[in-house]
Amino acid sequence: MTMTTPSTPNMYEKFKSKLSLPKPWDAVVIFILSILLTIPSFIIAHHNLLETQWMIPWDRITLFILILFSYYLVLRKIKKYIIVGIFAYGLILTYGTFLGNYGFYRVYDDYRSMMYTMGDNPYPQDIIIDKLLPFPNKYKVIKAINYSNPKVRNFALWATTKHFRNEVRLKGYQEYRTIIQCFAVFKEVKSRWNYVNDPLGNNYIASATESLQHFSGDCDDHAILMAAGVKAVGGIPRLIHTDAHIYPEMYIGTKRDLENITYLIRKVLFVQESKGKQIHYHLDERGHIWLNLDYTGTYPGGKFMSESILGQLTLSD
């Protein structure tokens, strides 16, 4: 009588069988990923649905559960690929963390900034400046923005040592050092500025060094001083001319930069001043973001005094 021995499965079959077995931590990982994907999706949907007057927002609760359940089902279907992807992603972030590049902290920081900005306002104000007229007194204004004058430079440096000196060292925000220092200049000028009209019938244009003597003048004097101060510490300013007003703005960057800057303004630098208020900016034809620095606002990105834009003057060189 011949005895037969059962065939021994090879290593691949053993690994495949183990991979197919459900593991408790699989469900935990998938659930966490589902939550992370559900939150921003829910915020977008929430802002696009009509508000109800119900005491308990059952519609929002139901919506959140449906989105969460949908993500969970989809992720369960492709869990094998997700686990491998998470492992590879973890290795990349670990490598970036220890080399000082894009690591775990930056992922958390970007997600936090995105969530905060989306929850605060999913559709920030986008105003494209188009069909501009010549800027009034352009060459006089450019000459008045004497940012290379030692008095202007020293004032700007002094403002950066007085305000936000520790905040520029915040982990994950070192790339915004220049912008934070420009905010320091804004804070100092705002705290000291005294609005005074020009002589009757005469549009007097004061230089930045002249305005530094008393921190007084009209809107164009303030705009010139702010532009000079921002330029003196490495920022890129521009002046906006409306039908009866001139105010300064500064270059921020992309939408991602705006998310991080919005977080810094609201949660770190101008917490009380910006509480419950919107961040105002302009989006130019190239998709670049310019933040309002007018004296009418108590924080960078304050409300525009006038929306009727007639001209702009950028100091990029």
Side-chain angles (χ1 to χ4, degrees), residues 5 12 20 40 48 52 56 69 112 168-169 204 239 259 263 267-268 281 283 297:
T5 57
Y12 171 76
S20 62
N48 285 278
T52 60
I56 300 177
F69 185 67
R112 179 186 62 180
V168 296
R169 301 185 181 94
Y204 185 83
L239 304 187
E259 292 174 355
Y263 182 85
K267 292 295 185 180
V268 181
Y281 64 90
L283 184 70

Side-chain angles (χ1 to χ4, degrees), residues 270-283:
F270 297 88
V271 179
Q272 295 301 321
E273 298 91 336
S274 64
K275 187 176 181 180
K277 298 177 182 178
Q278 185 180 352
I279 301 297
H280 296 262
Y281 64 90
H282 284 142
L283 184 70

Side-chain angles (χ1 to χ4, degrees), residues 224-258:
I224 288 170
L225 178 58
M226 271 304 308
V230 168
K231 184 74 174 173
V233 293
I236 302 176
R238 74 176 183 180
L239 304 187
I240 298 296
H241 173 233
T242 69
D243 50 359
H245 186 52
I246 292 178
Y247 61 90
E249 293 184 329
M250 68 171 292
Y251 175 75
I252 292 299
T254 65
K255 283 290 184 71
R256 173 190 172 275
D257 297 317
L258 177 65

